[in-house]
Amino acid sequence: MHSIRIVARRTGLSAHVIRIWEKRYRAVEPDRTATNRRLYSESDVERLSLLHAATASGHSIGLIAQLPTAHLRQLLSRSAAVAPAPCSEPPAPETLRNQCVAAIRDLDQHELERLLRGAALQHGTQGVLQKLVAPLATDVGRLWQQGEITAAHEHFASAVIRGFLTDLARPFALTPAAPMLVVGTPAGQIHELGAVIAAAAATAHGWRVTYLGPSLPACELASAALRTESRAVALSVVYPKDDPDLSRELEQLRSYLPARTAIIVGGRAAGAYARVLDRIGARIAVGIEDFYALLDQVRSGDGAPGQPERKPV
Amino acid sequence: MHSIRIVARRTGLSAHVIRIWEKRYRAVEPDRTATNRRLYSESDVERLSLLHAATASGHSIGLIAQLPTAHLRQLLSRSAAVAPAPCSEPPAPETLRNQCVAAIRDLDQHELERLLRGAALQHGTQGVLQKLVAPLATDVGRLWQQGEITAAHEHFASAVIRGFLTDLARPFALTPAAPMLVVGTPAGQIHELGAVIAAAAATAHGWRVTYLGPSLPACELASAALRTESRAVALSVVYPKDDPDLSRELEQLRSYLPARTAIIVGGRAAGAYARVLDRIGARIAVGIEDFYALLDQVRSGDGAPGQPERKPV
DNA sequence: TCTTGCTTGTCAACTTTTTGTTCAAATTTT
DNA sequence: AAAATTTGAACAAAAAGTTGACAAGCAAGA
């Protein structure tokens, strides 16, 4: 549950506007504390983000404020708002993932996209990332390591999911004053799925993301961050858990970057490099929730790297 | 239901014109809000788009405004072949490419997307591929080789262009009985831009494409082609012009594939491997036009590989 | 050729509606 | 005590509505 200030920051709307939209159009109707403060849920935040994106692209708030959230997503993903698919049966979450894996095995792009789209309508942007895409990415990584699927399958899945997530996050990419973030994987890390997810998550969280893709040397990551005046660099580290080069790369990255630029590292293998990461003052993101929290910290300026955090949270 | 502004944007007409067409010819008669604002339905939007297209191709609005929507569609499908593009201000094609290169240098995603989208509106799907994206990809490759841009720039450009082309080709991906095509780059070829372009071009040309991404060993390309029952495998070969492994990869690919599956190879370095390609009966695509022609050949069954073509065309 | 009238898009003026912001005062949180 | 939140009222800018005028393009007739 979030206060109006947090919601304002995350949606890019002013608190005034959020209140007036509630008063005039009942766009959202948040809970209240015992003392009458507004308390917004995660889905309220998403709804307001969608409304913001929609108004920014020209729709008038009076006409769309009452639309169901699913319609808003549709309105944004394509300007063709037609009848929404009436989902009759909610498919079990595990089944859905298995269906996705099956589609990847069959290299069936249409099917995989259909499954992803359906899940996005059901669970929303945040939900589909946490409940489907992230665990699916882990599955794919595991299956590939076990030799159950080939690199072709992995590439295929990356390509389709990447396209889907780009689409998904597009409506959010509008706030002009949003902080910048560079996303990629360091040299030697060839799996980009984690980075793709991070990019989509950050975009949906109100950041402007420069996505650079997999396997980039430290100097290039750094120069991209400088060029875009980024507040942080987010890296995904998945497969080789014991790459000595990677430690060197990370230290170089830290040395190239100004102190105010944070480094956030996520992915299955991030823990294996805890020593280096600690030394360079990087933050480790465990799961998407944690990633969001770290982004908020960095954004609100609590980002002195190289030192232990000042406020224990 | 849409406000007049949204309709104006989606149809390309000015709000003035929409209102005057309603007043004079009753071209559409939208609903009104309680306060007299116009509210357009999805079919109103389509109708106005059709009217716009029809007037642009020479029909006078007074004569067609009252026609049923189905007639308008017919009218357009007939005269589409004759449509003369009245370009008011053609921004020099080279300038545009330079602007794109500048946006890539700045890692400015918004700007690059804006330029691409604008060009797509001007030149259409086919046109933007041939006139902008393909030469731009060559530029990027050249600049990278000359060390004028870094791998980060190249990745960034790939990511943005990939997203743009996926979007661009989406509306075409509808034919269920279309022939299948696998697109990727062989092992060792790390530049995927050519493959992305090929995938978009083939999709726009009516194929169903399985995009696998860069650097895949022959056995995986082959098994993907088998799995999807593809009629052809399209590969992009750009950078190392003298990779002995690549020759071996290509021969393996041929041996894994059934004879009826064609291999099409494009990209700047394709010519350098002419010997192998000839030996395995692969076709070399020089430019996009040529690629289309080869796709047509394969589709129409003239695809016996390993032999010179039977019908000189 | 010139005039006349019709078609069609654009403009200007003015009104009403929509929508974001500002101000002030009371209450709560830090 | 200072900073936030809530509420209502008022305000100003933007957008949309209507009406009437006007100019360019075109066809037909004097």
Side-chain angles (χ1 to χ4, degrees), chain B residues 33-46:
Chain B
T33 68
T35 54
N36 207 28
R37 299 289 153 116
R38 291 173 172 81
L39 282 179
Y40 295 86
S41 72
E42 202 59 41
S43 59
D44 287 336
V45 176
E46 187 199 359

Side-chain angles (χ1 to χ4, degrees), chain A residues 172-241:
Chain A
F172 295 95
L174 289 166
T175 333
M180 300 285 310
L181 176 73
V182 164
V183 177
T185 82
Q189 293 283 327
I190 56 172
H191 294 284
E192 70 172 316
L193 218 34
V196 172
I197 294 173
T203 305
H205 207 65
W207 288 60
R208 281 182 64 184
V209 172
T210 303
Y211 178 74
L212 292 181
S215 199
L216 283 169
C219 58
E220 307 207 350
L221 287 169
S223 84
L226 289 174
R227 168 89 63 155
T228 57
E229 295 172 10
S230 287
R231 296 279 293 276
V233 175
L235 302 173
S236 166
V237 177
V238 176
Y239 171 52
K241 293 206 178 190

Side-chain angles (χ1 to χ4, degrees), chain A residues 57-59 63 79 81 105-107 109-110 150-152 155-156 162 167 170 173 209 212 214 216 220 224 227, chain B residues 5-6 9-10 39 42 105-107 109-110 150-152 155-156 162 167 170 173 209 212 214 220 224 227:
Chain A
S57 70
H59 291 92
L63 291 180
S79 306
R105 280 214 163 88
D106 290 343
L107 298 174
Q109 174 176 1
H110 276 38
T150 67
H155 283 210
F156 167 80
R162 192 174 50 205
D167 234 39
R170 195 183 308 285
V209 172
L212 292 181
L216 283 169
E220 307 207 350
R227 168 89 63 155
Chain B
R5 177 170 22 164
I6 297 296
R9 174 172 321 159
R10 282 182 51 188
L39 282 179
E42 202 59 41
R105 280 214 162 88
D106 290 343
L107 299 174
Q109 175 176 1
H110 277 36
T150 68
H155 284 208
F156 166 80
R162 195 173 47 205
D167 235 40
R170 195 183 307 285
V209 172
L212 293 182
E220 306 207 351
R227 168 89 63 158

Side-chain angles (χ1 to χ4, degrees), chain A:
Chain A
M1 290 307 213
H2 311 283
S3 71
I4 197 168
R5 159 205 282 286
I6 301 297
V7 177
R9 212 165 56 190
R10 279 183 50 187
T11 60
L13 295 164
S14 77
H16 295 302
V17 171
I18 296 174
R19 279 191 287 260
I20 209 78
W21 282 4
E22 177 187 340
K23 178 176 174 173
R24 289 182 182 153
Y25 319 108
R26 300 172 178 256
V28 292
E29 306 218 82
D31 288 341
R32 301 288 184 129
T33 67
T35 56
N36 204 29
R37 297 296 155 107
R38 291 176 173 80
L39 281 180
Y40 294 86
S41 71
E42 202 58 44
S43 63
D44 287 335
V45 176
E46 186 191 8
R47 186 172 168 78
L48 285 170
S49 297
L50 289 168
L51 286 172
H52 186 197
T55 54
S57 70
H59 291 92
S60 62
I61 182 63
L63 291 180
I64 61 171
Q66 307 251 12
L67 258 46
T69 305
H71 285 220
L72 290 175
R73 279 192 215 105
Q74 211 167 5
L75 194 66
L76 284 166
S77 69
R78 200 139 300 286
S79 306
V82 208
C87 292
S88 51
E89 27 158 338
E94 280 217 350
T95 314
L96 186 57
R97 230 158 75 209
N98 290 335
Q99 285 177 305
C100 287
V101 171
I104 292 170
R105 280 214 163 88
D106 290 343
L107 298 174
D108 187 338
Q109 174 176 1
H110 276 38
E111 176 67 2
L112 183 53
E113 281 179 345
R114 196 184 64 75
L115 293 167
L116 291 169
R117 238 193 305 278
L121 272 179
Q122 272 259 324
H123 301 111
T125 305
Q126 311 265 345
V128 76
L129 279 173
Q130 283 179 37
K131 291 182 195 154
L132 179 61
V133 178
L136 183 61
T138 333
D139 282 1
V140 169
R142 190 171 38 75
L143 291 171
W144 177 77
Q145 264 186 302
Q146 296 172 353
E148 297 213 14
I149 60 175
T150 67
H153 292 106
E154 201 265 349
H155 283 210
F156 167 80
S158 296
V160 176
I161 294 176
R162 192 174 50 205
F164 168 73
L165 290 184
T166 313
D167 234 39
L168 190 70
R170 195 183 308 285
F172 295 95
L174 289 166
T175 333
M180 300 285 310
L181 176 73
V182 164
V183 177
T185 82
Q189 293 283 327
I190 56 172
H191 294 284
E192 70 172 316
L193 218 34
V196 172
I197 294 173
T203 305
H205 207 65
W207 288 60
R208 281 182 64 184
V209 172
T210 303
Y211 178 74
L212 292 181
S215 199
L216 283 169
C219 58
E220 307 207 350
L221 287 169
S223 84
L226 289 174
R227 168 89 63 155
T228 57
E229 295 172 10
S230 287
R231 296 279 293 276
V233 175
L235 302 173
S236 166
V237 177
V238 176
Y239 171 52
K241 293 206 178 190
D242 50 356
D243 181 357
D245 291 341
L246 184 53
S247 302
R248 205 170 42 246
E249 284 284 324
L250 289 169
E251 289 186 325
Q252 277 184 19
L253 176 60
R254 175 74 279 169
S255 73
Y256 291 146
L257 286 176
R260 68 171 187 286
T261 306
I263 301 177
I264 302 177
V265 178
R268 203 143 31 90
Y273 298 90
R275 289 252 305 279
V276 206
L277 294 177
D278 191 45
R279 201 175 330 133
I280 65 174
R283 287 95 188 296
I284 299 185
V286 182
I288 295 190
E289 279 297 350
D290 201 28
F291 181 53
Y292 287 143
L294 289 176
L295 285 177
D296 283 342
Q297 272 182 35
V298 171
R299 173 187 240 163
S300 64
D302 177 16
Q307 304 165 9
E309 65 255 311
R310 290 170 302 191
K311 295 178 197 169
V313 182

Side-chain angles (χ1 to χ4, degrees), chain B residues 58-92:
Chain B
H59 296 92
S60 77
I61 181 62
L63 293 179
I64 60 172
Q66 308 252 12
L67 258 46
T69 306
H71 288 211
L72 291 174
R73 281 199 210 96
Q74 215 173 354
L75 194 65
L76 281 169
S77 62
R78 221 174 286 139
S79 64
V82 207
C87 294
S88 52
E89 36 154 336

